Every structure is written in C-alpha cells, then in structure tokens.
Amino acid sequence: MKTLWLIKIGGNVIDDADRLKAFLKSFQQIPDPKLLVHGGGKLASALAQQLGVPVRMVDGRRLTDAAMLEVVTMVYGGRINKTIVAGLQAVGCNAIGLTGADGNIIRANKRTGWEQDYGFVGDIERVDEKALSGLIEMGLTPVVAPLTHDRQGSLLNTNADTIAAKVAVALAGIYQISLVFCFEKPGVLENPADDESVYKALDYSSYLAQKSAGTISGGMIPKLDNAFAAMREGVQVVQICQAEGLLSLLGDHPAGTRLKL
Amino acid sequence: MKTLWLIKIGGNVIDDADRLKAFLKSFQQIPDPKLLVHGGGKLASALAQQLGVPVRMVDGRRLTDAAMLEVVTMVYGGRINKTIVAGLQAVGCNAIGLTGADGNIIRANKRTGWEQDYGFVGDIERVDEKALSGLIEMGLTPVVAPLTHDRQGSLLNTNADTIAAKVAVALAGIYQISLVFCFEKPGVLENPADDESVYKALDYSSYLAQKSAGTISGGMIPKLDNAFAAMREGVQVVQICQAEGLLSLLGDHPAGTRLKL
C-alpha cells in the first residue's frame, strides 16, 4: 500500500501568516500523497464579534446558531481554506479545497439528544473514501475545512480533529496512513509545565495511567481519545508534534510523540 | 462529443433564497454533464458595509483592495459557493465547489497597465480543461466561484460572466457546449421597456446594428461581447434567458435568446 500523510493543523498555525507560510512550504516537501485538514482558529470568533454575532462556547465547543453557521462557512470554507489552497499552489502543490459537502465527502447528522443544544454541529456519519482517493489519484492534494453537511441542504460545523481521525480511518483500507496532529505543544508532555518533557512514545495503557494521575488533562484528552480511537480502527501511525517538526517525520529522528496501542 | 451544459447565474438568483432553491432543483434535472458558474450578488457589498470596508465601483467593476479581497473570498468562495454545493447535494447532484485556485483550474494575472488600478482583480491567463473534465468524468458537477489565482499565493476577484465564457471555450474541445447565461431579463430585448419583446435569435451583425442604434446598451454590451467571443472561439450554443426558463432549453421551445454568429 502507498503511504498517505494526513496532517491536521489548528489555530496556532492558521492565525499566524508567517508560520502558516513556513508550514505550507514544509508540507509541500512531503513526497507521498497527502491530505491537509485545517481547523478554524480565532478568525471565526473575530469575524463574529465584528458582525455582532454572539460567540458562545460550552466545554470548549462552539454553539453554532444560523448566524454563526454563516460566519464559519465564510471563514473556514472561504477565507482559511482558499488562503491555504492558493498558498499551496504558490509552492507547487496542486491543492483542492473541500468541505464535507463538496463531492459529498463527509456526511454528518445534526447533533441531537444532548442536554446542550449545539445548533448546527455535525456528528460524522460517513466519509466517502473513494471520492477522496479518486481526487488524490488525480494528483490532487485535498485541503479539508471543518465543515460537513447533512445532505438536506445544511452545512454543519464539525471539529477538525474529529474530521482528521475519521478521514484517516476511512482511508486506512486504501493507504498506509501516517496521521499527524500538529499541536501547540511539541508533543505529549510528561510535565505540562516543561516543553522539554516530550514523550517519544506513548502507549494506550500509559495514557490511561497519566490521565488518571492528572498529568495529561484538559484539551489533550479529547484529542488523544480521538487519536487512539483512530489507531484501533486501522490507522497505522499517529504522531503528535508541532507544525515546525513536520519534516523531521520523514527522517530517523521524528519530533514529538508517537502513539502506540 | 458529449454535451456539457455550462450555466451561469448571477445575483438576482443568488440573493433570493427561494429562487435559488427552485433554480438548483431545475439545474439538477439537466441530464447531461453540467457545470455551474455563480456570481456574487449583493452579499459581498452587504458584508463589506457591515465590516466598514469601503465599497467602490468604477464602470460597474468592483475595486478590490486587500480588505475587499478577504470579503469576496469569504462570500464568493465560502458562503455562496458552499450554500449552492450543499443545496445541490440535497437534491442529489454531486457538486464540488471550486475557485480558480482549487486544482489550479483558472490561473490569472493581476490586472495591470490600466488607467484605473482595480486592485486584486484577475484577467484569465489559462483554464485547465483537463482538470475540469477529470472531475466531470468522475461524476462530479463543478460549481465555480468568481475567484481566480495568480499562482503566487494570491486569489483574484474575476468577473463571473468572463469565467463562464473562458471555461466554455476551454472545454469546447472536449464537449459540445451549451452555454447558458441566466440574466435578469427574459432574454435580449428588442425594446428594453418591454419584457415581451425577446429576440428568439440574435446574430452578430444584428447585434452590432442594435448596439449602434442604442436599443442594446449598458450592462448588456459586455455580456453579449463576451458571449459572441465565446462562440467565435468554438462554443457551439449560447442561450440567454432567465433562470426560470432553464428547463425549457431541454425541449423544442427554448426560452430566451439564441445567439448566432
């Protein structure tokens, strides 16, 4: 099987034009077929505030009413996605920007039955791995925005880490997947206060122990749960590092943390 | 050669949710391979005003500084494009939204050497007909936003009528093209004050005569110049009608005006 690199970047890279430019240059140097998933960053909240659309978060999740859905469609699907695509074209990478609605690649259901009504937020029902691999085999590099659709005409706001994990699982039958989450920190840290204390490797039982002990906590937990779940469903390699460490993954001394089951 | 329908819609359809929905339903009923080009409508100016970005038009063309480029990228590439794609998916049409940067389908040069500096406005250099036909042959229906790119990392604002005409010309070697411009009026009018006075057919010499006589004037002139140019470059059929007349084009009594060289 061919290797496919599936890289996820978040707000810390997207919100900084110079870091983004440097990242896209590194990304283009990955020789294998590849796919990029991007998050939203602070731009959606900034635009919402400018437009007087209330920004409401519950447990780190964005409540997405109709007005906020318009904002994220403009920011994620338009501004961020197209800026990345044009930036990749400038370095010779034939990128194609996609939301889950484009080519029906990611179909989702509007989240219901939770105590909190999150509004237009999607839980992924199905990723069309053939549509994605069809584009990849044409020589295209998909750039996926954190938006899905319900196939009834509505776009849905969807967590980018979850999209990366689910797309990786769907493509794992076709490619040998290297799934890379670019985080703010240089990897999973043994001591959250010490950026030098990166686990070179982290297996699932150690993760559970660190979670119980409280050394791995907060926003890292859903991210790591997501990543381990992807491994259990067939994703061969999951690495967590900083965007700046991306190219080290091609060599013998990969930056960040390699997950193991 | 297979027929490809290439339909262009403008602001009068896009700005009205009900009309857009009805149009997308008709569009989906066209059995042949098809491609949709959309304009921008009033939404870009409305968002610009909300954000305090000055809206400046010269001779009907939008001056596009960096702030306005962000606005049109969000509105054309995000909100309008993805709303149309999700709407088409809802009626069973496997749409894929594209700007010129996506798959490098439309490369342009920033307009220079004009007396007026239009800012980030693109004059089309090259349409990649193979990339587009590759997507179409995968069963996808491209939905093209009025944005191109310069391959140096910048998106460029580009007139949607021009995109429709240039894409039609590029694809005319691969498909038998039916290019349809959906206008506000039911066709080209013999008497601009009488919507019933639609030319069933209009040839180039009659067009020139009506233009000299002043009965065809204003915004119709660049549109018709564009359309006749596409015919001279190999586009087989050009029809001008209202969005509501689209399905009549499949039958023996097509609505609107058929152009002839």
Side-chain angles (χ1 to χ4, degrees):
Chain A
M1 277 202 284
K2 265 192 274 193
T3 296
L4 179 89
W5 291 83
L6 198 159
I7 320 288
K8 189 259 162 177
I9 53 168
N12 60 320
V13 180
I14 294 163
D15 293 336
D16 179 333
D18 290 335
R19 266 189 94 181
L20 179 61
K21 208 170 168 183
F23 168 79
L24 297 179
K25 223 167 160 178
S26 299
F27 178 78
Q28 161 57 1
Q29 289 176 60
I30 298 174
D32 302 291
K34 48 196 182 283
L35 185 153
L36 182 62
V37 177
H38 63 82
K42 299 191 188 102
L43 288 169
S45 297
L47 181 66
Q49 270 154 2
Q50 275 184 282
L51 295 174
V53 174
V55 174
R56 289 175 302 159
M57 310 289 283
V58 173
D59 299 334
R61 294 161 192 270
R62 186 185 294 277
L63 303 194
T64 308
D65 60 8
M68 184 57 81
L69 182 65
E70 273 182 13
V71 168
V72 297
T73 301
M74 292 195 288
V75 173
Y76 301 165
R79 184 164 161 192
I80 297 174
N81 191 267
K82 299 314 171 193
T83 299
I84 291 174
V85 168
L88 283 173
Q89 292 288 352
V91 293
C93 175
N94 197 359
I96 185 166
L98 303 167
T99 67
D102 296 291
N104 193 21
I105 59 163
I106 313 173
R107 188 171 165 173
N109 296 310
K110 193 174 168 196
R111 185 172 292 168
T112 53
W114 290 44
E115 209 170 303
Q116 173 68 50
D117 178 9
Y118 287 97
F120 293 96
V121 165
D123 291 314
I124 294 172
E125 183 191 324
R126 182 166 178 273
V127 175
D128 186 340
E129 72 281 2
K130 283 192 189 145
L132 277 169
S133 65
L135 296 171
I136 294 164
E137 295 307 317
M138 280 176 73
L140 295 166
T141 294
V143 176
V144 181
L147 294 166
T148 58
H149 77 133
D150 65 1
R151 245 197 152 181
Q152 292 168 55
S154 187
L155 294 156
L156 296 168
N157 192 3
T158 302
N159 180 276
D161 287 324
T162 308
I163 287 184
K166 295 277 189 186
V167 168
V169 168
L171 288 169
I174 302 176
Y175 301 97
Q176 160 96 22
I177 304 288
S178 277
L179 172 60
V180 181
F181 289 98
C182 296
F183 280 9
E184 282 185 57
K185 296 284 179 179
V188 184
L189 302 179
E190 209 176 325
N191 171 4
D194 177 10
D195 278 8
E196 304 289 310
S197 69
V198 176
Y199 285 106
K200 280 278 160 205
L202 181 68
D203 62 33
Y204 190 60
S205 60
S206 306
Y207 163 58
L208 293 180
Q210 299 303 321
K211 192 160 74 165
S212 300
T215 49
I216 296 176
S217 65
M220 281 303 277
I221 290 174
K223 285 170 185 287
L224 287 169
D225 281 343
N226 232 334
F228 278 113
M231 291 198 81
R232 275 194 301 274
E233 293 181 67
V235 174
Q236 293 87 349
V237 176
V238 179
Q239 187 83 15
I240 290 168
C241 64
Q242 273 176 322
E244 286 71 12
L246 186 65
L247 287 180
S248 75
L249 306 186
L250 300 175
D252 295 332
H253 302 286
T257 304
R258 169 80 41 108
L259 300 190
K260 292 184 187 298
L261 282 183
Chain B
M1 277 202 282
K2 265 192 273 194
T3 296
L4 179 89
W5 291 84
L6 199 158
I7 320 288
K8 188 260 163 176
I9 53 168
N12 59 322
V13 179
I14 293 164
D15 293 337
D16 179 334
D18 289 335
R19 264 189 98 180
L20 179 61
K21 209 171 167 181
F23 168 79
L24 296 179
K25 223 168 159 177
S26 298
F27 178 78
Q28 160 57 2
Q29 289 175 61
I30 298 174
D32 301 291
K34 49 196 180 284
L35 186 153
L36 182 63
V37 176
H38 63 81
K42 299 190 188 105
L43 287 168
S45 297
L47 181 66
Q49 270 154 0
Q50 275 185 282
L51 296 174
V53 174
V55 175
R56 290 175 302 160
M57 310 288 284
V58 173
D59 298 334
R61 294 162 191 269
R62 186 186 294 280
L63 303 195
T64 308
D65 61 8
M68 185 56 81
L69 183 65
E70 273 182 14
V71 168
V72 297
T73 301
M74 293 196 287
V75 173
Y76 301 165
R79 184 163 162 193
I80 296 174
N81 191 267
K82 299 314 170 192
T83 299
I84 290 174
V85 169
L88 284 173
Q89 291 289 351
V91 293
C93 174
N94 197 359
I96 185 166
L98 303 167
T99 67
D102 297 290
N104 193 22
I105 58 164
I106 312 173
R107 188 172 165 173
N109 296 310
K110 193 174 169 196
R111 184 172 294 169
T112 53
W114 289 45
E115 211 170 301
Q116 173 68 49
D117 178 11
Y118 287 96
F120 293 95
V121 165
D123 290 315
I124 295 173
E125 183 191 325
R126 182 167 179 271
V127 174
D128 186 340
E129 71 282 2
K130 283 195 187 142
L132 277 169
S133 65
L135 296 171
I136 293 164
E137 295 307 316
M138 281 176 73
L140 295 166
T141 295
V143 176
V144 181
L147 294 165
T148 58
H149 77 131
D150 65 1
R151 244 196 152 179
Q152 293 169 53
S154 187
L155 294 156
L156 295 168
N157 192 3
T158 302
N159 179 275
D161 286 324
T162 307
I163 287 185
K166 295 276 188 188
V167 168
V169 168
L171 288 169
I174 303 176
Y175 301 97
Q176 159 95 21
I177 305 288
S178 277
L179 172 59
V180 181
F181 289 98
C182 296
F183 279 10
E184 282 183 58
K185 295 285 178 179
V188 183
L189 303 179
E190 210 176 325
N191 170 4
D194 177 9
D195 278 7
E196 304 288 310
S197 69
V198 176
Y199 285 106
K200 280 278 161 204
L202 181 68
D203 63 33
Y204 190 61
S205 61
S206 307
Y207 163 59
L208 292 179
Q210 298 304 321
K211 194 161 75 164
S212 300
T215 49
I216 296 177
S217 65
M220 281 304 278
I221 290 173
K223 286 170 186 286
L224 287 169
D225 281 341
N226 231 335
F228 278 113
M231 290 199 81
R232 275 193 302 272
E233 294 181 68
V235 174
Q236 293 86 349
V237 176
V238 179
Q239 187 83 15
I240 290 168
C241 63
Q242 272 176 322
E244 286 71 13
L246 186 63
L247 288 180
S248 76
L249 307 187
L250 300 175
D252 295 330
H253 302 287
T257 304
R258 170 81 41 107
L259 300 190
K260 293 186 188 296
L261 281 183

